[in-house]
Amino acid sequence: MIYNILEQRKEYRYQLVILPTGSGKSICFQLPALLLEGLTIIVYPLLSLMHDQERRIGALGTSVKLLKGGQSFEERQRIFKLAKEGNLKFILTNPETLQIPTVLESLKGCKVALMVIDEAHAVVQWGESFRPSYLGLPPIIECLKPQQVTAFTATASPLIIERLTELLFRGDKFHLVRGNPDRPNINYRVYPTLSKLHTINLLLANALPLPALFFCATRKRCELFAQKIKEIHPSLDVAFYHAGMESSERKNREQWFFQQEEALLFSTSAYGLGVDKPNIRSVIHVDLSADIESYLQESGRAGRDGELAEAIILLDYWQETSPLVEACRQTGQCRREALLNLMEFESESCSSCDVCDGNPIDHPLGLREIKRFVKRYPLCYNMRQSAQLLTGEGGRPLLKGNPFYALLAGWPMEELYTILKRLVDLGEIRESRKGLLYPRLKPLGEPPSPPL
């Protein structure tokens, strides 16, 4: 890596380095920066990453400063003076700050040896949406004229590499350093589910390795799941984390989770780029990531200490299809192999996954029980009665004599009612004009379903 930067920079001005989470990407630009004469500018997507790297570089005993929003004119002038006099080795910043004309003009007077774009996938995934400042990096690079530009990311599919070539490197040749994104110490498992809350409770009841990080799609879902799990398991340390929290509150939450050995944190992807906790034993995707790059980034938060860890996906029965979803739905191919294939990598071996261990789950818990109940009692119960009977919550005393009574005890009744409605909408079961449930009728010529 150091050879690539110091020797090959004459041939390639640009480099793209793809190394998996926890493989030590930081040292790949810290050490060359110490050997090069001049300033190194590192561009980060998040303030938390900037502060974390400031702490790490400062611990090396070298000079480092942050350029960020909210600084006074005098504070920035002191930083520029240090840089121009050669008394500053690192500047950590973000794309928005670099686009400020006074900042860019002041940096033009510095000798920039190396410019680093960390978490470079953000150029593609964010630049064309809510962070257009990322698309302004090429003109900034041309203005500052660094000797070498290196983009780092943990995961990048061929499509991401192609878009980086267009958006960041402007079609110029670049040197590619690509490591295998596989994390052999992570055990991948997929749980098809009708009720994510119920599945989480089952995982906790079956000694889910802690501390655990749960990824949710929205801030509201983070808070909702944290609240529900805390109500059900008051003895557990449970919290949520997302970008909508106050900065001081997020920092306190990060420090809290960093020190915990048996805590549960429900978070958006804001945590995935923000904090380096090495001993997370389980990463659970309550909501699946949008693409394979994001999933490997987020699941890679697990086991950064090299010890065994779990990566678990709670897959909605009605999840809309995508290449990542299809890789998760199948049960005939090694999980690791299926995920790596999406990155166009081959898996040499599998240390552990539910398929290779011989226990993949091909249907959601509760689905067979519901279909068996509806088949046994067609046109006998409506949706609410069925939910009451199967969960054992409320309802007429007469329901208690049914052999299916409380078969799904532990499921929230209102949630099961919603599940039944979704199954009707999908055509998995039917509802009569009077609101009574009955099995889906097979068209002529359609093969029979396997036994439930």
Side-chain angles (χ1 to χ4, degrees):
M1 181 63 216
I2 297 171
Y3 169 80
N4 291 331
I5 290 181
L6 296 180
E7 299 297 329
Q8 294 191 6
R9 67 175 187 235
K10 295 178 181 179
E11 181 180 357
Y12 297 107
R13 184 186 184 191
Y14 297 104
Q15 287 194 119
L16 176 59
V17 180
I18 307 171
L19 294 174
T21 302
S23 61
K25 289 189 295 296
S26 296
I27 198 171
C28 292
F29 54 78
Q30 288 176 357
L31 188 52
L34 294 174
L35 299 176
L36 292 169
E37 183 181 346
L39 181 66
T40 290
I41 297 175
I42 309 176
V43 181
Y44 290 105
L46 298 177
L47 187 60
S48 57
L49 279 173
M50 291 165 59
H51 284 297
D52 183 61
Q53 197 62 225
E54 180 188 31
R55 175 181 59 81
R56 292 169 180 268
I57 294 175
L60 300 175
T62 190
S63 53
V64 55
K65 293 292 182 181
L66 267 60
L67 278 178
K68 58 181 181 178
Q71 290 174 312
S72 66
F73 175 81
E74 291 75 19
E75 186 178 0
R76 284 182 176 166
Q77 288 305 306
R78 287 193 292 270
I79 294 173
F80 298 141
K81 185 174 185 295
L82 288 172
K84 289 175 182 178
E85 293 174 349
N87 295 322
L88 185 59
K89 202 64 181 173
F90 292 90
I91 283 182
L92 315 181
T93 187
N94 55 48
E96 289 79 6
T97 301
L98 284 178
Q99 286 188 330
I100 299 172
T102 55
V103 170
L104 194 58
E105 187 63 30
S106 296
L107 289 175
K108 280 175 62 177
C110 305
K111 180 181 180 181
V112 182
L114 176 62
M115 189 164 181
V116 175
I117 316 298
D118 199 23
E119 308 292 352
H121 58 279
V123 175
V124 177
Q125 295 177 334
W126 298 354
E128 297 179 289
S129 54
F130 70 99
R131 294 286 292 275
S133 55
Y134 265 105
L135 301 185
L137 285 175
I140 292 171
I141 291 170
E142 289 307 309
C143 180
L144 297 181
K145 295 180 171 51
Q147 299 173 42
Q148 179 77 44
V149 179
T150 305
F152 285 85
T153 183
T155 52
S157 65
L159 178 60
I160 294 291
I161 294 174
E162 180 182 344
R163 294 296 287 148
L164 276 173
T165 304
E166 298 171 6
L167 299 176
L168 185 61
F169 304 146
R170 296 289 178 92
D172 287 354
K173 291 183 178 180
F174 62 94
H175 183 69
L176 177 63
V177 179
R178 191 176 190 185
N180 192 321
D182 187 21
R183 292 282 304 283
N185 63 313
I186 295 180
N187 172 24
Y188 295 97
R189 289 191 280 158
V190 176
Y191 287 87
T193 179
L194 297 175
S195 167
K196 295 187 175 183
L197 181 61
H198 187 259
T199 304
I200 293 172
N201 284 329
L202 287 179
L203 290 173
L204 294 173
N206 286 277
L208 177 74
L210 302 178
L213 175 61
F214 295 78
F215 279 110
C216 302
T218 66
R219 300 171 183 179
K220 184 176 181 180
R221 285 175 67 78
C222 288
E223 297 183 13
L224 178 63
F225 275 103
Q227 176 187 345
K228 291 289 186 183
I229 293 300
K230 188 62 179 178
E231 289 173 357
I232 299 169
H233 304 276
S235 62
L236 292 178
D237 289 323
V238 184
F240 63 84
Y241 179 95
H242 55 66
M245 301 164 62
E246 293 292 333
S247 177
S248 59
E249 188 179 6
R250 284 203 312 273
K251 187 174 182 180
N252 290 337
R253 193 64 50 84
E254 291 167 9
Q255 292 175 345
W256 168 82
F257 189 53
F258 190 87
Q259 297 167 356
Q260 295 297 313
E261 296 292 331
E262 295 189 348
L264 284 70
L265 184 66
F266 289 83
S267 175
T268 61
S269 58
Y271 186 93
L273 290 176
V275 187
D276 183 13
K277 179 176 171 64
N279 66 331
I280 295 175
R281 298 272 64 87
S282 300
V283 169
I284 300 92
H285 275 78
V286 179
D287 300 312
L288 188 58
S289 312
D291 50 58
I292 183 61
E293 289 86 4
S294 299
Y295 175 71
L296 291 179
Q297 286 267 357
E298 292 161 3
S299 62
R301 296 291 120 190
R304 295 190 64 160
D305 55 5
E307 301 296 323
L308 293 178
E310 300 278 338
I312 298 170
I313 293 171
L314 308 187
L315 190 65
D316 264 327
Y317 182 62
W318 25 73
Q319 182 93 35
E320 292 185 9
T321 190
S322 72
L324 179 55
V325 171
E326 289 305 311
C328 295
R329 277 197 178 129
Q330 62 81 33
T331 57
Q333 182 186 23
C334 164
R335 298 286 182 207
R336 194 178 306 275
E337 181 179 320
L339 293 171
L340 291 177
N341 282 352
L342 294 177
M343 299 290 293
E344 296 193 3
F345 265 92
E346 292 185 2
S347 174
E348 297 180 1
S349 63
C350 182
S351 53
S352 185
C353 78
D354 54 357
V355 174
C356 292
D357 289 345
N359 56 5
I361 301 173
D362 59 4
H363 65 278
L365 184 66
L367 180 61
R368 289 181 174 178
E369 290 81 355
I370 291 170
K371 288 187 174 182
R372 189 183 298 120
F373 165 73
V374 174
K375 184 177 180 180
R376 175 67 178 80
Y377 296 98
L379 300 172
C380 290
Y381 301 101
N382 61 29
M383 255 189 262
R384 184 156 297 279
Q385 291 167 346
S386 298
Q388 291 172 338
L389 190 155
L390 288 169
T391 61
E393 288 188 23
R396 297 171 296 172
L398 181 63
L399 298 179
K400 294 184 178 180
N402 190 293
F404 283 81
Y405 183 79
L407 185 65
L408 298 181
W411 293 58
M413 192 271 289
E414 289 299 328
E415 185 175 27
L416 187 56
Y417 175 84
T418 302
I419 290 169
L420 290 171
K421 190 174 187 309
R422 291 291 296 274
L423 291 175
V424 168
D425 292 340
L426 289 172
E428 295 283 348
I429 56 178
R430 300 287 187 178
E431 185 180 27
S432 73
R433 290 181 180 179
K434 294 184 177 181
L436 302 176
L437 300 180
Y438 63 96
R440 180 169 72 96
L441 301 177
K442 298 287 184 183
L444 290 176
E446 184 176 329
S449 300
L452 292 175

